[in-house]
Amino acid sequence: MMETPRQEFPDIAEHGLIGDLQSVALVCTDGTIDWFCAPRFDSPAVFASLLDREKGGFFRIHALGDDVRVKQMYFPQTAVLITRFMSASGVGEVIDFMPVADDPTVATEERRILRGVRLVRGELTFRLECRPRFDFGRRPHTASRAGGWVRFDDGLSGAALSGVHDDEQVTELDDGDAVLDVTMSAGDLRLFAFHTAPEAEGHGLTVDRGQELFRQTVTFWRDWLSIGTYTGRWRESVERSAMVLKLLQYAPSGGLVAAPTAALPEQLGGVRNWDYRYTWIRDGSFSVHSLLALGYTEEAIAFSLWVADRVAEQAGEASGPLKIMYRIDGSSDLEELELDGFEGYAGSRPVNVGNGAADQPQLDIYGEALDALFVTNQYRRIGHPGWSKLRAVLDWLVENWDQPDEGVWETRGGRKDFTYGRIMCWVAFDRAITIARERGLPAPLDVWIQARDAIYEQVFTRCWNADRQAFVQYPGTDVVDAITLLMPLVGMISPHDPMWLSTLDAIGEELVTDSLVYRYNPAASPDGLPGEEGTFSLCSFFYVIALADADRVEEAQYAFEKMLTYGNHVGLFAEEIDPAGRQLGNFPQAFTHLALIRAAIVLDAALTRQESRGR
């Protein structure tokens, strides 16, 4: 009965996302859960066949038959995923979701993946294969049958599969796996569940209990969406992106992971394979604007409090008071390791877990952290202890803003005086000055103002290339960088300033291809890594914002709607899009979805203004 592993890796985009606000699972269109970490986003994987077809482990439920066609979709306005199997002999569905706890802010060890199998018409045989591989396959385990359970014992907390009938034959237990064929007729409904720390569930889940949890999960997501205030032209895409951000935020701490996966390549067969299951100061801070713009103040405040804790701890070393990234609970042990023996997605090696860039000095994070605290200050004011810690960070920045750093893209090609780092240092001082003035807080305003103004002068002189007529990646080069698209968005320059408009043109000429935007040109600006990469979806959406704010609204609408066509079948985006139109990089990426939200809001407002002028 044992099936051979997939002959090919599925496309990264062939996945939907389910989660319970403490971890997530990726479900492929063939019915395979091929990525799942437990009990948290940044825990070792239990299913990771997305990185190794044999060693990674997976949980597959699929219909047998040569003529089976498959379609995957979300139950409307929820994070409940439906994978439909259709053939001449019958039509059936696998319904996947992870129930959200009554209080998801309390960290727990048990994760539950519920998989309902329903036969709509005719008759089909489904094959269930549950093949966990604990700790990325590094921890052996055994499997045993106990009534309706199959237990997987790895010597620690283990896991279990529930929903097996007493009279059903489960095979491959001797290999540590569980395989079961189930023949179903129209109207039949089965419930299978994979539990980590399974003792908490007692004797398993009945079908009735599963249906109750399904209704509760649907209600949770629809109630949460009802809080949102966006009613614009692209509501479905914005709501899906908002749910992605919600799914990627670790509820017990407020930390938001950059993406739930590790080592998915930026170039097929290449070495740019990083672990994104951590909380970047930058990514999370950007998300605050998107969440607040949609009315999700609770999530925005939760992340700003997480940032405030990092400011108070000041655990950074080579990076200054702050590290660029942390684990979701705020700890900072991010040693980068290679999973030896893992084949890597489509042969892309090394397969890295952990992230060695954590201590890189990247000066832009101070601006992003201050901006997040600034925009949430009206909802949750910074107290005296927090302000004292924040002043210490600004004191450090006064002495260090003029130092070279590693840059926003975590390149490994050496430190430079990156323009974007200077821009965000300006933001840090500008926001701190404003908070101090508005609230009458004690601060060395003269010192901060002097630093802010010195940064401004440097950006508008040294970082401006008169021959190129553009703000460039760093002084002395003629290479542009798409991250400078944020310059007007953070208020450092007017979107109609001639210096900015010519920069926008230069970015369009050098980095844009049919509305898709490369973040920079590695050939012209070596980043210390071999290989190439695709267009960067975050930058493509920020390009939309820049065009709309510059009153190039028709171009902005074309670019935005073009980008939407590159989303996958359920509206999810990875980090990049390669020249063949494939999504690459870790998936789905918070960066991309938060930028989609901001672009939709800005463009919608610009189109509405344009229509009003027309009337």
Side-chain angles (χ1 to χ4, degrees):
M1 184 183 291
M2 181 173 180
E3 292 193 347
T4 58
R6 293 165 166 151
Q7 296 302 306
E8 301 289 341
F9 281 90
D11 284 350
I12 291 171
E14 287 294 307
H15 292 86
L17 181 76
I18 60 173
D20 64 0
L21 313 187
Q22 295 192 26
S23 188
V24 299
L26 292 185
V27 186
C28 188
T29 52
D30 67 359
T32 303
I33 294 175
D34 52 19
W35 186 262
F36 171 61
C37 299
R40 316 188 322 184
F41 293 100
D42 54 357
S43 300
V46 178
F47 302 128
S49 61
L50 199 54
L51 297 179
D52 191 297
R53 291 168 291 181
E54 294 188 5
K55 301 184 184 72
F58 59 87
F59 183 7
R60 179 185 299 158
I61 300 178
H62 65 114
L64 301 179
D66 295 332
D67 65 337
V68 175
R69 295 172 292 111
V70 182
K71 184 176 182 180
Q72 191 178 71
M73 69 219 77
Y74 277 112
F75 198 67
Q77 294 188 303
T78 75
V80 176
L81 200 64
I82 299 172
T83 307
R84 183 172 295 150
F85 297 87
M86 300 167 285
S87 75
S89 58
V91 175
E93 297 174 339
V94 177
I95 303 162
D96 288 309
F97 63 100
M98 294 175 67
V100 179
D102 292 338
D103 184 2
T105 64
V106 177
T108 61
E109 293 295 310
E110 188 190 28
R111 305 271 72 77
R112 293 178 295 173
I113 300 175
L114 272 59
R115 313 201 73 183
V117 185
R118 173 175 173 263
L119 227 293
V120 177
R121 66 173 63 91
E123 183 177 281
L124 283 175
T125 296
F126 283 87
R127 176 160 295 168
L128 178 153
E129 301 174 78
C130 190
R131 305 181 187 274
R133 298 292 182 267
F134 297 94
D135 191 16
F136 293 104
R138 294 176 294 191
R139 197 162 65 237
H141 70 279
T142 59
S144 60
R145 180 77 180 270
W149 290 83
V150 175
R151 294 188 176 273
F152 304 100
D153 183 5
D154 66 338
L156 296 176
S157 58
L161 170 70
S162 67
V164 181
H165 291 169
D166 290 344
D167 60 348
E168 290 179 323
Q169 181 183 12
V170 178
T171 63
E172 301 191 31
L173 293 175
D174 290 344
D175 298 322
D177 300 329
V179 178
L180 171 70
D181 282 355
V182 179
T183 299
M184 300 176 64
S185 301
D188 289 348
L189 175 64
R190 295 286 300 270
L191 177 70
F192 300 98
F194 185 82
H195 315 246
T196 63
E199 290 73 15
E201 189 59 43
H203 297 290
L205 292 170
T206 64
V207 170
D208 287 344
R209 175 59 176 157
Q211 291 177 310
E212 180 184 355
L213 289 170
F214 168 82
R215 289 190 291 270
Q216 289 175 1
T217 304
V218 168
T219 299
F220 172 85
W221 286 108
R222 290 180 173 172
D223 286 350
W224 185 79
L225 280 181
S226 70
I227 298 170
T229 56
Y230 180 83
T231 57
R233 293 166 173 81
W234 299 282
R235 185 171 178 178
E236 185 175 351
S237 295
V238 169
E239 287 186 341
R240 182 55 57 195
S241 292
M243 280 191 279
V244 170
L245 296 186
K246 179 69 171 175
L247 283 164
L248 298 187
Q249 186 171 38
Y250 182 62
S253 72
L256 186 93
V257 295
T261 56
L264 292 181
E266 296 173 19
Q267 180 186 24
L268 291 180
V271 300
R272 300 167 185 256
N273 315 317
W274 316 118
D275 190 345
Y276 276 22
R277 299 171 301 145
Y278 307 115
T279 301
W280 268 252
I281 292 286
R282 176 186 309 113
D283 301 41
S285 296
F286 282 165
S287 74
V288 167
H289 285 273
S290 299
L291 291 166
L292 286 178
L294 297 177
Y296 294 112
T297 56
E298 181 179 323
E299 289 74 16
I301 291 170
F303 182 75
S304 70
L305 292 173
W306 184 94
V307 172
D309 287 341
R310 308 292 80 74
V311 170
E313 292 166 358
Q314 298 188 22
E317 296 172 4
S319 58
L322 298 179
K323 289 178 175 284
I324 67 168
M325 73 182 88
Y326 301 80
R327 289 193 177 275
I328 51 178
D329 61 1
S331 59
S332 53
D333 53 324
L334 287 149
E335 181 184 3
E336 188 170 293
L337 301 171
E338 180 180 349
L339 292 179
D340 293 331
F342 259 48
E343 61 181 321
Y345 178 85
S348 305
R349 300 185 63 191
V351 177
N352 292 312
V353 294
N355 202 306
D359 273 318
Q360 281 191 357
Q362 296 180 18
L363 292 170
D364 64 279
I365 64 172
Y366 295 94
E368 286 133 7
L370 262 293
D371 200 35
L373 295 173
F374 172 75
V375 297
T376 56
N377 188 50
Q378 61 178 306
Y379 304 100
R380 183 66 66 92
R381 289 196 163 196
I382 301 168
H384 172 70
W387 181 248
S388 299
K389 293 290 187 179
L390 199 57
R391 283 180 59 181
V393 171
L394 271 294
D395 289 343
W396 177 88
L397 197 60
V398 166
E399 301 297 327
N400 289 276
W401 69 262
D402 201 17
Q403 301 299 313
D405 71 345
E406 301 285 358
V408 60
W409 303 126
E410 289 157 28
T411 59
R412 305 192 181 191
R415 300 181 186 181
K416 296 181 176 67
D417 295 330
F418 285 106
T419 299
Y420 181 68
R422 300 296 188 266
I423 292 170
M424 296 311 292
C425 285
W426 178 90
V427 169
F429 288 114
D430 179 75
R431 303 314 191 249
I433 291 165
T434 303
I435 293 172
R437 282 175 167 168
E438 288 182 349
R439 294 188 48 202
L441 296 174
L445 288 179
D446 290 344
V447 175
W448 290 358
I449 291 170
Q450 184 178 7
R452 182 196 64 184
D453 293 350
I455 297 168
Y456 181 95
E457 293 296 335
Q458 187 176 114
V459 170
F460 279 81
T461 54
R462 294 186 60 222
C463 300
W464 169 259
N465 186 310
D467 294 331
R468 191 76 172 84
Q469 285 292 291
F471 293 100
V472 289
Q473 191 176 51
Y474 53 86
T477 186
D478 61 358
V479 174
V480 293
D481 190 324
I483 197 63
T484 54
L485 289 165
L486 283 166
M487 196 173 178
L489 200 59
V490 300
M492 194 175 195
I493 194 170
S494 164
H496 302 102
D497 189 298
M499 295 176 75
W500 171 248
L501 293 176
S502 62
T503 301
L504 184 58
D505 287 338
I507 290 173
E509 293 165 4
E510 184 170 317
L511 300 179
V512 178
T513 170
D514 191 28
S515 81
L516 306 182
V517 184
Y518 290 94
R519 51 183 175 175
Y520 58 94
N521 181 354
S525 179
D527 58 11
L529 295 166
E532 300 176 348
E533 59 175 28
T535 57
F536 205 73
S537 296
L538 167 87
C539 296
S540 297
F541 284 120
F542 279 155
Y543 185 57
V544 170
I545 297 171
L547 290 171
D549 283 344
D551 294 331
R552 294 162 59 176
V553 181
E554 290 77 11
E555 292 177 67
Q557 184 173 5
Y558 173 82
F560 182 75
E561 293 180 338
K562 183 81 173 197
M563 269 300 297
L564 292 184
T565 68
Y566 283 97
N568 78 346
H569 58 288
V570 287
L572 305 184
F573 288 85
E575 184 176 34
E576 301 185 5
I577 298 168
D578 79 355
R582 292 172 298 206
Q583 294 203 40
L584 290 180
N586 286 300
F587 174 91
Q589 198 196 40
F591 237 178
T592 305
H593 285 278
L594 67 88
L596 185 157
I597 292 168
R598 293 184 76 174
I601 292 170
V602 170
L603 179 57
D604 192 67
L607 286 166
T608 299
R609 289 193 302 270
Q610 188 179 68
E611 290 175 356
S612 297
R613 288 196 296 268
R615 287 194 295 269

